[in-house]
Amino acid sequence: MGRLEGKIAVITGGNSGIGLATAERLLAEIANAVIVKVAVRKGVDPALTTAKREIELEILRVLQAELDKIEAERSDLVSSKKDIEETIEEIDTKAKREFKETILSIKDDFKSIYGKLSPGGESDIRLPGENVLESDIEILVRPKGKRLKSMELFSTGEKTLAAIALLLAVMRKKQSPIYIMDEIDAPLDENNIERFNDILREFSEDSQILIVTHNRATMEHADFIYGITMEEIGVSNVLSVDVDKI
């Protein structure tokens, strides 16, 4: 044991000054010496025991390298996940803010337009849920002489009036050079038709309105009228009339 004890003394000496590499080499020699002594004591070939240990150490080094690689990849994934979550939170916050601002803007125009289409009436847009991006959008109206409730609970004509007001409010928020409407005025009565056409006249100052209609009152408010005729079977002709020249 003298040689083994000497090596231990070198490593544990208070003022040895040996480096880490030297210490690891000495510890490996000590371990090999211990293995040889144990193998001899048990009658096992020391060479086989030492070779087995070297193989086990090599496997350990390979596994440790793989573990280090996996830990590095995990660290990258955790960092990427944090960045993605922060980005999602930022986008979510911005989307909520812009959505609420848009709804409030449309709400103001909706109230104004509905008041013109239904004099004495009232309208409102509400977001009942805490998360505005997942919340329902409640459209409430109150024709004159009735109480405020969901537009779905009113008659077809009253629902159409509210829907038109909402559509025009959205159009005012997101203006376009041209709008195409297909018989949007069909369910309206004569009084509502007049008010509807007055509002369309306001919109026509900034955009062109193309409306498909069979309503005579709407045609009378138009600047140009286009009609399709079929004088011969299978042959269609387009006729146009400049109302201002009639």
Side-chain angles (χ1 to χ4, degrees):
M1 289 291 290
R3 184 181 176 191
L4 179 60
E5 292 171 349
K7 290 183 178 181
I8 294 175
V10 168
I11 295 173
T12 59
N15 192 26
S16 62
I18 65 174
L20 179 61
T22 302
E24 290 178 347
R25 178 176 57 78
L26 290 174
L27 287 173
E29 291 180 5
I30 293 172
N32 286 333
V34 172
I35 291 173
V36 170
K37 288 183 177 297
V38 172
V40 171
R41 187 180 303 164
K42 293 185 177 182
V44 180
D45 187 352
L48 293 177
T49 304
T50 302
K52 179 180 178 182
R53 179 178 178 276
E54 291 296 332
I55 292 173
E56 291 173 344
L57 289 174
E58 182 62 26
I59 293 173
L60 179 61
R61 284 192 288 270
V62 171
L63 293 176
Q64 184 62 50
E66 187 67 22
L67 177 61
D68 292 341
K69 180 181 178 182
I70 293 173
E71 287 290 344
E73 292 176 349
R74 178 184 178 277
S75 179
D76 290 341
L77 289 174
V78 170
S79 178
S80 298
K81 177 185 176 184
K82 182 179 178 181
D83 292 341
I84 292 173
E85 288 176 343
E86 290 177 352
T87 301
I88 291 174
E89 183 177 357
E90 181 180 347
I91 293 173
D92 193 55
T93 301
K94 182 179 179 180
K96 287 179 180 178
R97 183 181 68 253
E98 293 185 353
F99 182 73
K100 289 179 70 175
E101 291 174 353
T102 300
I103 289 296
L104 288 175
S105 177
I106 292 174
K107 177 180 177 178
D108 293 338
D109 287 327
F110 179 49
K111 287 184 175 182
S112 173
I113 294 172
Y114 185 79
K116 294 177 181 179
L117 288 175
S118 179
E122 180 185 353
S123 62
D124 195 11
I125 299 177
R126 297 176 184 174
L127 301 172
E130 295 182 1
N131 187 343
V132 296
L133 299 180
E134 298 178 359
S135 170
D136 292 334
I137 301 177
E138 293 183 350
I139 309 299
L140 306 174
V141 294
R142 182 188 65 79
K144 184 178 180 180
K146 299 184 179 181
R147 62 186 182 87
L148 186 70
K149 57 184 179 181
S150 173
M151 61 177 286
E152 298 178 355
L153 302 178
F154 288 98
S155 64
T156 301
E158 291 170 329
K159 284 193 292 186
T160 302
L161 205 63
I164 291 174
L166 181 61
L167 173 63
L168 295 176
V170 174
M171 287 169 53
R172 180 162 289 174
K173 175 63 180 178
K174 189 71 173 179
Q175 290 192 350
S176 174
I178 184 171
Y179 296 102
I180 301 176
M181 304 178 182
D182 187 4
E183 298 199 41
I184 191 174
D185 57 348
L188 302 180
D189 58 28
E190 185 175 345
N191 292 330
N192 288 329
I193 282 287
E194 290 298 324
R195 290 191 284 265
F196 168 70
N197 287 318
D198 289 340
I199 294 178
L200 281 191
R201 177 61 62 182
E202 295 178 13
F203 275 80
S204 66
E205 295 177 0
D206 300 315
S207 304
Q208 292 184 346
I209 308 293
L210 178 60
I211 180 169
V212 179
T213 182
H214 291 91
N215 191 288
R216 180 174 179 177
T218 300
M219 295 181 191
E220 292 175 351
H221 280 76
D223 296 320
F224 292 89
I225 299 177
Y226 297 89
I228 307 296
T229 66
M230 186 179 291
E231 297 178 357
E232 300 180 23
I233 297 178
V235 180
S236 299
N237 292 318
V238 179
L239 301 178
S240 62
V241 176
D242 185 346
V243 178
D244 292 336
K245 295 181 180 180
I246 298 178

